[in-house]
Amino acid sequence: MDLDSLYQEIILDHYKHPHHAGLRDPFEAEVHHVNPTCGDEVTLRVHVADGVVEDVSYDALGCSISQASTSVMTDLLIGKSVDEAMTIHQTFLELMQGKGQVEPDEDVLEDGIAFAGVAKFPARVKCALLSWMAWKDATAQSLDKEKA
Amino acid sequence: MIEGLLPELEVIRKDFPILERTLAGGYPLVYLDSANTSQKPQVVIDTMVDHLERHNANVARAMHQLGAEASEAFEAGRDKVAAFIKAPSRDEVIFTKNASEALNLVANTLAWRGDLQVGEGDEVVITEMEHHSNIVPWQLLTERTGATLRWFGLTDDGRLDLSNIDELITERTKVVSLTWVSNMLGTINPVREIADRAHQVGAIVVVDASQAAPQLPVDVVASGADVLVFTGHKVVGPTGIGVLWGRREVLEQLPPFLGGGEMIETVRMERSTYAGIPHKFEAGTPPIVEAVGLGAAVDYLDHVGMDAIHAHEQAITAYALEGLQTVPGLTVMGPLDAASRGGAISFEIAGVHPHDVAQVLDSRGIAVRAGHHCAKPAHARFGVQSSTRMSSYLYTTPAEIDALVEGLHHTRSYFKLDA
Ligand SMILES: Cc1ncc(COP(=O)(O)O)c(C=O)c1O
């Protein structure tokens, strides 16, 4: 079993020094997601203005994969338009669900390509996706609120 | 040689074919997840295969030779389980799907009309170290009936805090349900002492023996329980079968749980009458080959001897507690003396998440559990979200504990904790 393909340096760096950590104001939606099998948790806030992801802030408890994935996600999504962010989300999802067969696109995913190895460890895919799912949920809620 | 180990450990290991497996990278399997599910000896596998190959038929309702053989084998499983737990009567042994279903059976039927019905103003007492299977059914019961759920807290060293027992167990208490051995902390609880107190106020006592039955000699009457449950797959038996033992008077007072074939005496369109125990609680085709396999499993354990298995677990646990102390930054949760605990040890390593610990160990063929082990409240009590758990059984060797300890040192260096 190739541990090093799972624990890429980039992942361990993000784990030790997570970017954009902490909960911040302002925000339009806050969600709390858990991975019921292992108990990993994330509380995540989104601030969206004029169709742009202005901020994603979070408080997360979990393993290196889930923590690093959250950190990388905030790097990728903050400052993007909601549409672009959704495309990146979709690309990351496809990579993670690709069972290790999907070639990662560095132009879109940047540090996120380090997670290609995670896709080969089915038990860890949920860890990597926890905060991405939380972000999508929170963003959908904030857009609903805007419409209402 | 460590005192207390099973003298024929190498012979016992040969009974478990899976222990010869190697895993990715050529590592031999080091299986330290027996509190999750135990491995199966050849005799259990063979007995189940033989039953399916030669004696398969439905039980109780097939009027042919195979039907008679299958019924006999199934009921022999009940006899063996009754002997294993020293039940006064075989009829008090009810087969369920697992321990969870057994606990739900009790918690559900207590909500329904009957002599033991739990209602508004009544109290149910559990503990903070329960498996979710012994928490959620009681939450559902008390929510449905308007009763109140209360619980024993834990001391810092992972034992039940009994200091307020007289405030918790009162005239209002109808049920006290607790685990005999904690699946997370390993703690062995003073079941008899608590049961005696509960009986003084007329409460019934439910004991979750899911972790006790595999490693302690069980005598249901001496335990003080009115109802005791365990699950087949942790006592070297198959999945898909659990055991509910209850004192005859209690089982007779509880209304039926599921309705269907086998649990009736006669059925008319207006109403039915019910079979006596155990069949009253066994609606539908039961887990037949599983009961046959479980019979072989408890026979196997009895043959090795539960006292000897208990001594082995204690010796391995003491050895493991010693070895774990050599890992920097490692904290064991639960009692630190092997004599008052079972063979499950949960721990934390500062700076590495349990998921990551388990992953690195797995890459060396070492199987442990990481997460909350279905005991979230007990983890919350100790201010942690999850832990790594090693759990041994009658086939565990000191060399496997050495492999674990070495694996944990390696995990620390892999994550550069000393850098
Ligand atoms: C203490 C305890 N209770 C209950 C259970 C539930 O067993 P099962 O999942 O087989 O119903 C377990 C096992 O996971 C356990 O360790």
Side-chain angles (χ1 to χ4, degrees), chain B residues 35 98-101 131 133 179 181 183 208 210-211 231 233-234:
Chain B
N98 47 35
S100 303
E101 190 186 62
H131 186 281
S133 295
T179 193
V181 177
N183 69 315
D208 178 357
S210 298
Q211 296 293 343
T231 197
H233 65 95
K234 296 190 207 272

Side-chain angles (χ1 to χ4, degrees), chain B residues 63-82:
Chain B
M63 296 300 142
H64 42 64
Q65 294 175 50
L66 286 186
E69 288 171 22
S71 299
E72 196 180 315
F74 174 69
E75 292 300 337
R78 198 188 308 276
D79 289 328
K80 290 173 184 184
V81 169

Side-chain angles (χ1 to χ4, degrees), chain A residues 1 3, chain B residues 19 21-34 39 324 347 354-370 388-392 396-411:
Chain A
M1 219 181 294
L3 263 197
Chain B
L19 299 179
R21 263 213 59 178
T22 50
L23 295 159
Y27 287 96
L29 169 66
V30 174
Y31 187 74
L32 293 173
D33 198 18
S34 290
Q39 294 303 348
L324 291 173
F347 55 87
H355 247 180
D356 296 317
V357 174
Q359 189 86 57
V360 177
L361 293 176
D362 185 47
S363 75
R364 297 161 75 94
I366 304 166
V368 296
R369 184 156 173 190
T388 308
R389 181 184 73 186
M390 65 134 278
S391 50
S392 54
T396 305
T397 66
E400 290 181 301
I401 302 298
D402 294 342
L404 168 72
V405 171
E406 203 188 306
L408 292 171
H409 283 289
H410 171 74
T411 305

Side-chain angles (χ1 to χ4, degrees), chain A residues 84-95:
Chain A
E84 277 174 292
M86 285 292 178
T87 309
I88 297 169
H89 181 281
Q90 187 57 32
T91 311
F92 189 75
L93 195 64
E94 281 162 15
L95 175 64

Side-chain angles (χ1 to χ4, degrees), chain A residues 1 3-4 6-7 9 12 15-16 34-41 61-65 121 124 127, chain B residues 24-25 351-353 355-357 359-360 362-363 369-373 376 385-386 410 414-417:
Chain A
M1 219 181 294
L3 263 197
D4 294 342
L6 177 65
Y7 294 117
E9 259 337 294
L12 296 180
Y15 175 44
K16 294 220 156 137
V34 299
N35 179 344
T37 26
C38 63
D40 282 4
E41 299 182 38
L61 267 177
C63 64
S64 58
I65 304 296
F121 291 79
R124 305 307 290 274
C127 309
Chain B
V352 207
H353 190 275
H355 247 180
D356 296 317
V357 174
Q359 189 86 57
V360 177
D362 185 47
S363 75
R369 184 156 173 190
H372 50 61
H373 327 312
K376 278 192 100 161
Q385 176 222 15
S386 60
H410 171 74
Y414 189 84
F415 286 100
K416 303 191 179 66
L417 289 187

Side-chain angles (χ1 to χ4, degrees), chain B residues 39-298:
Chain B
Q39 294 303 348
K40 321 301 171 200
Q42 191 70 53
V43 62
V44 168
I45 300 166
D46 288 350
T47 303
M48 293 176 76
V49 169
D50 177 68
H51 183 85
L52 291 172
E53 281 180 352
R54 297 171 46 83
H55 309 290
N56 180 55
N58 209 331
V59 292
R61 42 179 116 158
M63 296 300 142
H64 42 64
Q65 294 175 50
L66 286 186
E69 288 171 22
S71 299
E72 196 180 315
F74 174 69
E75 292 300 337
R78 198 188 308 276
D79 289 328
K80 290 173 184 184
V81 169
F84 181 64
I85 59 176
K86 304 199 169 53
S89 160
R90 67 182 309 278
D91 294 341
E92 296 173 339
V93 172
I94 289 149
F95 288 131
T96 61
K97 185 170 65 173
N98 47 35
S100 303
E101 190 186 62
L103 291 164
N104 277 278
L105 185 160
V106 181
N108 270 272
T109 54
L110 281 169
W112 302 338
R113 198 181 303 160
D115 300 340
L116 298 172
Q117 186 174 14
V118 170
E120 222 150 311
D122 291 340
E123 294 181 354
V124 172
V125 176
I126 60 173
T127 88
E128 209 176 359
M129 68 166 78
E130 298 308 311
H131 186 281
H132 296 166
S133 295
N134 200 27
I135 298 177
V136 183
W138 304 111
Q139 290 174 335
L140 292 170
L141 168 69
T142 49
E143 279 162 19
R144 281 176 191 149
T145 57
T148 303
L149 185 66
R150 307 185 66 188
W151 53 88
F152 285 100
L154 307 182
T155 62
D156 289 340
D157 66 345
R159 298 170 205 265
L160 289 181
D161 178 3
L162 298 178
S163 60
N164 59 346
I165 187 167
D166 291 331
E167 288 149 52
L168 272 175
I169 300 182
T170 68
E171 299 300 322
R172 291 184 298 277
T173 310
K174 285 289 173 306
V175 184
V176 176
S177 185
L178 78 161
T179 193
W180 188 336
V181 177
S182 160
N183 69 315
M184 175 207 166
L185 301 162
T187 322
I188 301 178
N189 289 320
V191 168
R192 182 65 202 232
E193 181 189 333
I194 295 167
D196 287 347
R197 177 76 193 110
H199 287 147
Q200 281 168 13
V201 301
I204 67 161
V205 175
V206 178
V207 173
D208 178 357
S210 298
Q211 296 293 343
Q215 50 177 326
L216 299 176
V218 172
D219 177 330
V220 285
V221 174
S223 77
D226 296 294
V227 171
L228 179 142
V229 311
F230 65 98
T231 197
H233 65 95
K234 296 190 207 272
V235 289
V236 308
T239 56
I241 187 160
V243 172
L244 182 156
W245 169 84
R247 280 202 299 118
R248 177 181 288 278
E249 302 86 278
V250 171
L251 294 179
E252 283 176 349
Q253 286 177 77
L254 289 173
F257 178 43
L258 302 174
E262 237 58 80
M263 54 77 69
I264 48 91
E265 189 177 62
T266 177
V267 175
R268 283 174 292 121
M269 288 316 289
E270 305 76 43
R271 59 166 270 116
S272 304
T273 53
Y274 308 115
I277 60 167
H279 303 293
K280 169 179 157 187
F281 293 109
E282 293 181 349
T285 300
I288 301 169
V289 70
E290 289 80 1
V292 174
L294 180 59
V298 297

